[in-house]
Amino acid sequence: MSMQERHPFVARLPIGRRIPFPAEGIPFWEIFPFEGDLQIKVLDEPVLPEPPRFGEDGPQSCGGCQDPLKNAVWSDDRWRVIHSGGPTGLPVMVLLCPLAHHDLADLPADLSAELGPMLQRVERAILSLGGIARVHVNKWGDGGAHLHFWLIARPAGMVQMRGTCLPIWDDVIPKAPEQEWRASLSAVAAALAAEGGEAQL
């Protein structure tokens, strides 16, 4: 199939036409953070080939490889936990990344074997803050080619924030004061360092 031909996945989409909300779609879920008159955006034509992601050409074009401890919370000789650069509304929002430049599809077997335990370790560190009901783990990968998992804390009792809209809630709720945000990250860093590696905050 050439780039000019539409894949069946895309060919069935109503590109250029207004899509109505399904009767049981996400805007009617209790966890959806918005209300009022909404419309689904009209789908644009596919862009092929897709524009390259940051780091698509390898470590030389990857900001995470050029400055691996930028925004670092914790690191060891194989992994790092970083923050996104400024205060969040939710208690904690961090990213787990290997130091080496890989995406999930080409992650070497030794790092793959460490990935599950590392995700558990970061989740335990976040839960150690107290007042956290769940830690959501997300991988999107459309912005950067260097593997990164988002770990996002949902405050206990905030059942309206359950599920897939949690990152959207972080965009719209008030941000934490800088001192509080840094104190939470420092506590996470200390909890991670208690099992090895080095706190960076």
Side-chain angles (χ1 to χ4, degrees):
M1 181 177 292
S2 72
M3 285 295 197
Q4 284 70 41
E5 293 178 86
R6 286 186 174 173
H7 193 283
F9 295 145
V10 174
R12 67 173 177 78
L13 296 175
I15 291 171
R17 300 195 310 270
R18 181 66 62 191
I19 305 168
F21 278 120
E24 296 182 3
I26 192 170
F28 307 107
W29 298 359
E30 65 178 344
I31 63 169
F32 189 65
F34 306 107
E35 60 185 3
D37 295 330
L38 296 171
Q39 292 188 94
I40 298 174
K41 285 186 174 181
V42 172
L43 290 175
D44 295 333
E45 289 286 339
V47 176
L48 294 172
E50 290 192 5
R53 301 174 295 170
F54 293 110
E56 197 82 69
D57 298 328
Q60 69 278 4
S61 64
C62 174
C65 291
Q66 299 306 310
D67 190 1
L69 294 184
K70 181 180 180 182
N71 297 336
V73 173
W74 168 92
S75 66
D76 67 10
D77 60 345
R78 295 166 69 78
W79 297 92
R80 67 177 181 251
V81 173
I82 60 174
H83 62 75
S84 58
T88 54
L90 294 167
V92 175
M93 183 180 288
V94 294
L95 297 89
L96 172 66
C97 319
L99 283 177
H101 188 80
H102 299 287
D103 208 342
L104 187 58
D106 70 344
L107 193 66
D110 58 338
L111 287 174
S112 294
E114 295 173 11
L115 178 58
M118 281 303 308
L119 288 169
Q120 290 178 308
R121 187 172 166 190
V122 179
E123 179 174 33
R124 285 194 305 270
I126 293 171
L127 290 171
S128 74
L129 292 176
I132 307 298
R134 301 282 182 273
V135 178
H136 292 208
V137 179
N138 296 273
K139 178 197 176 293
W140 291 290
D142 279 332
H146 193 125
L147 179 62
H148 55 287
F149 286 88
W150 292 84
L151 289 98
I152 307 170
R154 178 175 69 76
M158 295 306 299
V159 294
Q160 191 177 13
M161 295 181 178
R162 290 175 300 174
T164 53
C165 291
L166 185 63
I168 300 173
W169 279 108
D170 185 72
D171 281 341
V172 299
I173 62 176
K175 303 303 181 198
E178 175 107 11
Q179 185 175 0
E180 177 186 316
W181 171 70
R182 290 200 173 274
S184 294
L185 291 178
S186 292
V188 169
L192 286 167
E195 297 185 45
E198 184 176 349
Q200 299 292 339
L201 289 176

